[in-house]
Amino acid sequence: MTKNASRPDPDNPEWTAEEVHNARPLMDVLPEETAAAVRRYRGQRGPQKRPTKELVSLRIDRDVAAAYRASGSGWQKRANDALRAYAKTGLTNERVVSRRGKKAAAAGKRRRTAP
């Protein structure tokens, strides 16, 4: 139900020119502790409701990316879920070796033993 604009609202009277001129910003009127608690800066987000995700650059085959994108909205979440499922099951059965570890392991295999 809309109010009739021609009738003044007794609970919220219209401001006079003097009241508008004397008005101050809310942050100037609030106590310092309250203002500091509610102040946000440009680009600043509030507290996270869930754990944050990490932005990574991952090189995958074009056909894999195209297949996920073709599956529709939410494809990144589905790809993340697939990687999570593999990390829980697949990585427990395999030895994870970094690039440096692979080189060191290969060098160890090539070492000559004394006759």
Side-chain angles (χ1 to χ4, degrees):
M1 182 167 157
T2 60
K3 291 186 177 185
N4 187 347
S6 64
R7 292 190 309 188
D9 184 1
D11 295 329
N12 188 16
E14 198 170 314
W15 282 26
T16 64
E18 183 181 348
E19 289 173 325
V20 171
H21 178 71
N22 292 333
R24 293 177 21 208
L26 178 64
M27 296 304 272
D28 292 349
V29 179
L30 287 175
E32 189 59 39
E33 307 85 38
T34 308
V38 298
R39 181 177 292 123
R40 276 203 231 164
Y41 299 99
R42 183 180 180 136
Q44 180 184 3
R45 293 179 60 176
Q48 297 293 311
K49 294 184 173 105
R50 292 188 234 160
T52 59
K53 297 189 177 189
E54 182 179 356
L55 177 63
V56 296
S57 177
L58 179 67
R59 297 184 66 83
I60 57 175
D61 293 333
R62 290 180 187 266
D63 58 337
V64 174
Y68 271 107
R69 285 189 183 113
S71 66
S73 181
W75 68 272
Q76 291 173 321
K77 182 181 183 316
R78 286 190 295 280
N80 185 59
D81 293 342
L83 287 169
R84 180 181 290 120
Y86 178 75
K88 285 183 181 177
T89 61
L91 293 179
T92 57
N93 299 330
E94 297 177 18
R95 182 173 162 220
V96 178
V97 180
S98 68
R99 286 184 179 189
R100 176 171 283 165
K102 285 181 182 179
K103 288 180 181 177
K109 288 179 185 176
R110 284 182 269 168
R111 278 193 191 146
R112 294 182 185 171
T113 56

